[in-house]
Amino acid sequence: TTLNKKEVNDTILNVFEEIPQLVASASLGQVYKATLRNNHEELKLITTNKTIQQTPKTQVAIKIQRPDILEVVSLDLFLLVSYGKIVDKVCSIITNQIPYHETFLNGFANGAFMELNYIHEAEN
């Protein structure tokens, strides 16, 4: 189903008092601030299955992930870890150094994937 801008705005205004306001933007996504309408006694968070109790003028943060960011970051991290493997092989031959680049970059990649998991973040 395709929604036009008016339908999207009408849907948003059923939940929020006004169109959410952009408060932060980064490479992974954007954060908006909004005030919930008081016509919902409870609001069930769709992605986390949690329920929040509303008080008058309950303010919430809405995090929106950029489209296709998971695929883009996954490719970048794959290439970075692959580069780490090559550096480890070269360094271990030339310098007899204990390989650590691949392990370090895998840790970095795991942290990056945790940052992309907004559902996990919302549960914490």
Side-chain angles (χ1 to χ4, degrees):
T1 303
T2 304
L3 298 175
N4 65 39
K5 188 173 181 178
K6 183 185 178 328
E7 290 171 319
V8 170
N9 285 342
D10 288 348
T11 301
I12 289 171
L13 291 173
N14 282 333
V15 178
F16 304 109
E17 288 189 1
E18 58 190 26
I19 301 294
Q21 299 299 307
L22 179 66
V23 293
S25 184
S27 56
L28 301 179
Q30 297 175 325
V31 179
Y32 293 83
K33 180 173 89 172
T35 303
L36 294 173
R37 286 196 173 278
N38 288 331
N39 59 354
H40 299 76
E41 287 185 25
E42 291 187 337
L43 179 68
K44 189 161 202 146
L45 300 179
I46 296 167
T47 56
T48 63
N49 233 3
K50 289 185 178 180
T51 301
I52 62 171
Q53 297 295 325
Q54 278 189 258
T55 58
K57 302 287 183 185
T58 301
Q59 291 199 333
V60 294
I62 306 159
K63 289 183 80 171
I64 307 293
Q65 200 168 83
R66 295 194 187 280
D68 303 325
I69 193 69
L70 183 59
E71 291 81 8
V72 170
V73 170
S74 295
L75 177 59
D76 290 347
L77 294 172
F78 171 77
L79 294 171
L80 195 58
V81 171
S82 297
Y83 173 73
K85 288 180 185 181
I86 294 167
V87 170
D88 279 346
K89 287 185 194 262
V90 171
C91 286
S92 67
I93 293 169
I94 295 173
T95 67
N96 290 327
Q97 177 181 336
I98 297 171
Y100 70 92
H101 297 90
E102 179 184 3
T103 302
F104 173 78
L105 292 170
N106 269 322
F108 176 79
N110 287 336
F113 282 121
M114 287 177 64
E115 288 291 319
L116 288 167
N117 188 342
Y118 287 2
I119 294 173
H120 180 264
E121 182 181 353
E123 290 172 346
N124 289 328

